[in-house]
Amino acid sequence: MTRRYKTWQNRLFDGIIYLVMVLVLLICLVPFIYMLAISFSSTSAIVNNEVFLWPVGFTAESYKQIFEYPKFFHAYGNTFFYTIVGTAISLVMTILFAYPLSKPELFGQKFLMKMVIFSMYFSGGLIPNYLLVSSLHITGTRLAMLLPFAINQFNLIIMINFFRSLPKELEEAALIDGLGYFGILRRIVVPLSTAAIATVGLYYAVFFWNDWFNSLIYLNTDQFPVMLFLRNIVNGTTMVGDGAGSADKTTIALSIKSAVIIVSTVPIIVLYPFLQKYFVKGMTVGAVKG
């Protein structure tokens, strides 16, 4: 192993790297902390611009107003359902599609890969997609949030590259022992692909958690996820603030918007630490093959 001498050039380089990392951390963290402080601050403190990174006149009134909205917790339950079930369906379908596409000897594999890449850059558009979902008679049902978005091309390519990086000798040995391809996928490939599955699963979970536009198009009111529900709250507070022409009401709207941001982002942020150890490996493995 080559020893890295602590010359002034190396120390300068390390210092620049640390400085850039600290700046990136502050850029990501400070706005979130500011929103958190605004959401817990009193109206007078916000009006007087006294709030920066710490709540002034601590109050939870904004969160109380959000939680008292009718069907708020029902919408949160819908979001958890779409996120959990949608991620599970997407992972199963992505794995089943990626595994055969990872085999160069598959008949038509190159054509299918070209179709996947083509569809990643070109789509039919909003109206053809709606007509397709409508023709399948799943508009107004929860399936409209689950099936049309089950496979993402970018996530599919990540999974394909990961499967290609696995040693072929393992599958050959399993075939000699009489194990079929489904058995190989279930007993060998999937257990060895924990990093890729966790990474792709995180991507799918974030998509289903944040999605509100598709639910606005395809779902009924009682099926709305919390993101669309919170969007409607934000629009309502904006109209109250703008229409009233009052500094107090505008400030209340700002406080509620900040609380909405916190309520909508904290649950998915909590998921990251549990998957962080898989994230870098799942993204990079298979990118460079020796």
Side-chain angles (χ1 to χ4, degrees), residues 137-148:
H137 305 289
I138 58 176
T139 51
T141 69
R142 298 182 190 275
L143 291 176
M145 283 292 290
L146 304 177
L147 296 184

Side-chain angles (χ1 to χ4, degrees), residues 182-196:
F182 276 104
I184 294 174
L185 177 63
R186 181 171 61 89
R187 298 186 182 184
I188 298 177
V189 175
V190 170
L192 292 176
S193 305
T194 307

Side-chain angles (χ1 to χ4, degrees), residues 28-40 62-63 66-67 72 76 209-210 226-227 229-235 237-238 252-270:
C28 297
L29 196 58
V30 168
F32 185 81
I33 296 177
Y34 176 72
M35 289 291 103
L36 187 64
I38 288 287
S39 67
F40 280 112
S62 298
Y63 293 93
I66 293 175
F67 295 152
F72 171 79
Y76 233 114
W209 182 271
N210 290 331
V226 72
M227 284 298 178
F229 192 85
L230 294 177
R231 170 187 172 273
N232 293 338
I233 293 177
V234 170
N235 286 347
T237 56
T238 300
I252 291 173
L254 176 61
S255 179
I256 292 179
K257 289 178 185 178
S258 302
V260 165
I261 293 173
I262 301 302
V263 169
S264 60
T265 56
V266 166
I268 200 67
I269 289 176
V270 172

Side-chain angles (χ1 to χ4, degrees), residues 20-266:
V20 171
M21 292 175 63
V22 170
L23 289 176
V24 172
L25 177 63
L26 291 176
I27 291 172
C28 297
L29 196 58
V30 168
F32 185 81
I33 296 177
Y34 176 72
M35 289 291 103
L36 187 64
I38 288 287
S39 67
F40 280 112
S41 297
S42 63
T43 302
S44 59
I46 300 174
V47 170
N48 296 324
N49 293 324
E50 298 175 357
V51 184
F52 182 50
L53 298 179
W54 191 260
V56 178
F58 186 89
T59 177
E61 185 63 29
S62 298
Y63 293 93
K64 182 180 178 182
Q65 291 188 39
I66 293 175
F67 295 152
E68 287 179 350
Y69 270 85
K71 296 185 178 181
F72 171 79
F73 290 102
H74 179 72
Y76 233 114
N78 289 337
T79 296
F80 276 105
F81 174 81
Y82 297 137
T83 302
I84 295 172
V85 178
T87 301
I89 292 175
S90 296
L91 283 176
V92 171
M93 297 187 69
T94 301
I95 290 171
L96 292 177
F97 194 16
Y99 181 62
L101 287 182
S102 66
K103 308 300 179 187
E105 64 272 14
L106 175 70
F107 177 77
Q109 186 265 354
K110 291 184 178 180
F111 172 77
L112 292 174
M113 281 299 302
K114 290 178 180 179
M115 292 298 296
V116 169
I117 295 173
F118 179 84
S119 63
M120 184 166 60
Y121 295 104
F122 301 97
S123 65
L126 179 60
I127 294 177
N129 284 338
Y130 180 82
L131 294 176
L132 174 62
V133 174
S134 178
S135 65
L136 295 174
H137 305 289
I138 58 176
T139 51
T141 69
R142 298 182 190 275
L143 291 176
M145 283 292 290
L146 304 177
L147 296 184
F149 316 102
I151 297 180
N152 177 272
Q153 297 93 331
F154 178 75
N155 296 336
L156 179 66
I157 292 173
I158 292 177
M159 195 70 73
I160 290 172
N161 288 334
F162 195 99
F163 288 161
R164 285 177 178 172
S165 69
L166 297 177
K168 295 182 179 179
E169 291 78 9
L170 291 175
E171 296 188 30
E172 292 172 356
L175 288 172
I176 293 173
D177 290 338
L179 197 62
Y181 281 105
F182 276 104
I184 294 174
L185 177 63
R186 181 171 61 89
R187 298 186 182 184
I188 298 177
V189 175
V190 170
L192 292 176
S193 305
T194 307
I197 293 174
T199 302
V200 171
L202 179 61
Y203 285 152
Y204 279 125
V206 170
F207 167 78
F208 284 109
W209 182 271
N210 290 331
D211 188 28
W212 63 268
F213 183 72
N214 293 309
S215 58
L216 178 64
I217 297 174
Y218 299 122
L219 300 182
N220 299 323
T221 305
D222 60 337
Q223 300 166 338
F224 282 172
V226 72
M227 284 298 178
L228 181 56
F229 192 85
L230 294 177
R231 170 187 172 273
N232 293 338
I233 293 177
V234 170
N235 286 347
T237 56
T238 300
M239 289 186 290
V240 168
D242 294 341
S246 167
D248 276 351
K249 290 186 177 180
T250 304
T251 306
I252 291 173
L254 176 61
S255 179
I256 292 179
K257 289 178 185 178
S258 302
V260 165
I261 293 173
I262 301 302
V263 169
S264 60
T265 56
V266 166

